[in-house]
């Protein structure tokens, strides 16, 4: 009886977690990172690589929380980036080189529709975003 009960618990746990994390080396994982990279390069300068903290997809929506760094782990000096030079990034009001993104998949292509660099709040908790993205951020949207 214990075995059956355990299987039921696993089934319900998986049903509650409608998203999954694309594995390293998969087209979806590469597509999600590639969709965010131009935004990071525009603001932080090239080259950029990501340390993934959280990466989720469910159907045609996705969510990422990453940190940008230079290849090999080099820290990005925000004050010396193109975004800072344009007045778009201010180290006094940022949480470093962290990025979050909400994605939509169009055909085979992931698009970073909403994104932020150095956000100091949970901007993606916006109730206007939850109807579309609740499957990848259920703990934020309260679903």
């Amino acid at each position: 009886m214990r075995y059956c009960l355990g299987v039921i618990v696993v089934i319900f746990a998986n049903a509650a977690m409608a998203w999954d994390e694309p594995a390293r080396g998969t087209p979806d994982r590469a597509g999600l990172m590639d969709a965010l990279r131009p935004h990071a390069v525009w603001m932080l300068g090239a080259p950029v690589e990501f340390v993934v903290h959280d990466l989720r997809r469910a159907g045609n929506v996705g969510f990422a929380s990453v940190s940008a760094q230079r290849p090999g782990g080099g820290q990005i000096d925000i004050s010396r980036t193109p975004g800072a030079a344009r007045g778009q990034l201010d180290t006094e009001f940022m949480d470093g080189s962290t990025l979050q993104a909400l994605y939509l998949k169009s055909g085979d292509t992931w698009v970073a529709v909403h994104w932020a660099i150095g956000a100091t709040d949970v901007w993606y908790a916006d109730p206007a975003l939850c109807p579309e993205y609740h499957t990848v951020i259920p703990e934020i949207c309260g679903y």
Side-chain angles (χ1 to χ4, degrees), residues 20-30 55 57:
D20 69 333
E21 179 176 345
R24 288 177 184 254
T26 62
D28 269 349
R29 189 175 183 103
L55 187 62
R57 67 164 176 211

Side-chain angles (χ1 to χ4, degrees), residues 7 12 27-28 30 39 46 70 84 93 103 109 125 135 143:
V7 170
F12 283 121
D28 269 349
H39 301 296
R70 299 294 180 222
F93 302 100
Y103 300 89
T109 304
T135 55
Y143 288 83

Side-chain angles (χ1 to χ4, degrees), residues 33-121:
M33 294 298 94
D34 289 346
L36 189 54
R37 192 172 319 285
H39 301 296
V41 168
W42 171 251
M43 297 299 281
L44 302 173
V48 171
E49 68 181 22
F50 298 121
V51 175
V52 175
H53 304 295
D54 201 357
L55 187 62
R56 304 173 180 189
R57 67 164 176 211
N60 69 337
V61 296
F63 169 77
S65 177
V66 303
S67 293
Q69 63 183 24
R70 299 294 180 222
Q75 185 174 2
I76 296 173
D77 180 353
I78 301 294
S79 66
R80 300 184 70 196
T81 62
R86 292 190 300 269
Q88 296 173 304
L89 298 178
D90 185 343
T91 58
E92 296 294 316
F93 302 100
M94 293 180 62
D95 184 16
S97 62
T98 61
L99 292 94
Q100 301 83 33
L102 294 171
Y103 300 89
L104 287 177
K105 192 171 188 180
S106 176
D108 291 335
T109 304
W110 286 100
V111 179
V113 178
H114 307 280
W115 58 275
I117 296 178
T120 58
D121 63 354

